[in-house]
Amino acid sequence: DASSGRMRVLVRIRPLSEKEKADGHEPAVRSVEDQPTLRIMDSGQEREFSFDGVFPKEATQSDVFVETGLPVLRSCLGGINGAILAYGQTGSGKTFSLLHQSAEEEEAGLLPRLIFSLFVHIAQDDANVYEVEAAALQVYNEEIDDLLHLGHHKGVGQRLEVQAAGHVPGLTWVKCQHPEEMLDLFSRARANIVYAETKMNKKSSRSHSIFQVRITKRVRVTAAPTGEGMMNMECTRSRLIVADLAGSERMKKSGVEGMRLREATKINKSLLALGNVMSALAAQKPHVPIRDSKLTRILDGSIGGNCKTCLLVCASPATENAQETLNCLEFAYRAMSVAVTAQVNAGTVAVDADALQSDLRRDPRLEALRHGGGG
């Protein structure tokens, strides 16, 4: 795989909206049949960009998951850190692609599919035992908020600090033993994300939301333990990050003012910092300005580090958004030069006799997933 030592980059072009059609907008971007290539007009000249994958407007949510989410999940199950970042202007389809939850199974976004597929794999793996934990945060106005803190509405768990490799001390982590538990957790987190209506989007995210899953895997014991004390066992530990980055926007176009203007300014500043980090990594510069933004500090280790990273760039096809779409494609193309050094995170975990005894029992809720499949 030519992309194994670098960031994978895929681009999804959403369909024209009904309003865009009514306003007479034509598609400014076109995909090349049977090639991961896009063409876009720039000052009267047609430019061509090739990526690891391109999803045209007909692509399904399942198509996006299979090409984007599944390879990252497989790495995480093998003990390698993984990250999926959704990037694009306001209203380009990032949140739908990533987070959408629906009674219609085919409409489900990448994160719900990841969660279900993770637990199907766990249910079907007789040889290993897994511990799975979830956390969620947002970067809002350059402050880090814990979206799962029970006191979130009272202002508790906000303005957290971030340390090396994106570690956030004090962040709420919750153990999950079933997909519904994790889906409920992330639904609760999403309810705490700051949204607002702008001219460009009925429900525009005003923050970067980052969902995290920690996976610890060790070998399952097949005989009852004989002692009472703790036992050290070899394990792998991986972290999966799914980041829905707030969309860049031109203030005049989105019609924001007051507090929304301040939010938009902070969003654009953090996205500029991310662009600068990507450029420095792509050019292999000795200094990478990772500390210029809370967003880049959170993503430290997920971009250009010990992590299998996939960038999903979502873009609008409308002529009125052609300049923003071109900017997104240029960002995406640079990101393809960002090297990654992903490796298995091996360690040991202390396990007591009760936990070892539970290896011999099956969680009845997971049994139903064993034959249910996933994807």
Side-chain angles (χ1 to χ4, degrees):
D1 182 359
S3 66
S4 61
R6 60 165 174 81
M7 189 179 293
R8 288 186 75 234
V9 180
L10 300 98
V11 179
R12 186 179 198 181
I13 305 295
R14 67 161 171 78
L16 284 169
S17 68
E18 292 306 315
K19 182 179 183 303
E20 287 165 345
K21 289 176 186 174
D23 291 346
H25 287 289
E26 295 290 327
V29 186
R30 60 190 183 94
S31 54
V32 179
E33 194 173 349
D34 298 327
Q35 291 183 45
T37 300
L38 291 170
R39 290 178 178 152
I40 183 170
M41 295 303 292
D42 177 21
S43 304
Q45 298 286 316
E46 189 171 63
R47 292 182 60 186
E48 188 172 283
F49 296 87
S50 292
F51 301 101
D52 294 303
V54 166
F55 301 107
K57 65 180 187 296
E58 304 83 17
T60 65
Q61 294 281 69
S62 178
D63 294 336
V64 174
F65 172 70
V66 168
E67 291 294 320
T68 305
L70 205 50
V72 173
L73 178 61
R74 285 177 180 144
S75 293
C76 292
L77 289 166
I80 295 170
N81 295 332
I84 300 164
L85 318 177
Y87 178 94
Q89 79 174 112
T90 294
S92 59
K94 298 183 302 297
T95 301
F96 174 75
S97 296
L98 217 58
L99 307 181
H100 188 67
Q101 284 184 250
S102 170
E104 302 293 327
E105 190 176 312
E106 64 270 17
E107 292 286 295
L110 197 139
L111 183 61
R113 290 172 187 269
L114 278 171
I115 292 168
F116 186 70
S117 296
L118 166 63
F119 282 98
V120 166
H121 177 90
I122 290 171
Q124 293 176 343
D125 185 356
D126 291 326
N128 296 289
V129 173
Y130 296 77
E131 181 178 279
V132 179
E133 301 167 282
L137 58 87
Q138 69 176 354
V139 181
Y140 174 63
N141 280 342
E142 277 297 287
E143 298 289 352
I144 297 169
D145 299 344
D146 183 346
L147 294 174
L148 290 180
H149 198 290
L150 294 175
H152 180 87
H153 293 293
K154 299 175 183 175
V156 186
Q158 299 183 11
R159 295 180 175 82
L160 299 178
E161 293 302 313
V162 56
Q163 296 179 350
H167 174 63
V168 179
L171 186 64
T172 302
W173 285 92
V174 182
K175 285 185 183 179
C176 298
Q177 295 179 309
H178 194 265
E180 296 303 330
E181 290 177 355
M182 192 175 286
L183 286 168
D184 288 347
L185 273 181
F186 285 153
S187 292
R188 198 175 92 209
R190 283 195 67 190
N192 291 330
I193 293 172
V194 180
Y195 290 96
E197 182 174 336
T198 72
K199 285 182 183 176
M200 293 181 68
N201 194 357
K202 282 285 183 190
K203 199 178 182 192
S204 174
S205 175
R206 315 310 293 162
S207 70
H208 310 291
S209 54
I210 298 172
F211 302 86
Q212 304 190 36
V213 180
R214 286 197 304 219
I215 304 166
T216 303
K217 180 175 81 170
R218 64 169 175 82
V219 171
R220 182 187 301 276
V221 300
T222 54
T226 51
E228 292 292 319
M230 302 292 285
M231 178 178 174
N232 281 329
M233 299 188 69
E234 291 183 355
C235 71
T236 60
R237 289 189 177 92
S238 60
R239 182 178 69 167
L240 170 61
I241 286 180
V242 176
D244 182 15
L245 303 178
S248 59
E249 56 187 58
R250 292 198 307 217
M251 318 301 187
K252 189 175 177 182
K253 204 168 182 180
S254 59
V256 292
E257 53 189 32
M259 184 174 75
R260 300 295 172 225
L261 179 63
R262 178 170 178 262
E263 291 168 348
T265 303
K266 295 284 189 182
I267 289 167
N268 288 348
K269 181 186 174 188
S270 62
L271 291 172
L272 176 64
L274 177 61
N276 290 338
V277 166
M278 290 286 202
S279 295
L281 288 169
Q284 298 183 339
K285 291 184 178 178
H287 173 67
V288 178
I290 204 86
R291 299 184 65 82
D292 283 2
S293 160
K294 289 283 175 67
L295 173 64
T296 51
R297 292 180 67 188
I298 281 288
L299 296 177
D300 182 18
S302 297
I303 45 177
N306 175 25
C307 188
K308 283 272 189 186
T309 305
C310 182
L311 177 69
L312 176 63
V313 173
C314 296
S316 161
T319 45
E320 68 167 344
N321 296 323
Q323 186 57 53
E324 286 94 335
T325 297
L326 178 61
N327 293 343
C328 284
L329 296 182
E330 289 176 336
F331 173 88
Y333 191 72
R334 282 195 301 274
M336 288 181 68
S337 297
V338 175
V340 298
T341 53
Q343 56 194 27
V344 175
N345 302 298
T348 59
V349 60
V351 187
D352 62 22
D354 286 344
L356 292 174
Q357 192 72 45
S358 71
D359 283 13
L360 307 177
R361 299 189 298 271
R362 281 287 185 181
D363 183 335
R365 292 179 303 170
L366 286 179
E367 279 300 290
L369 292 176
R370 280 173 68 82
H371 310 291

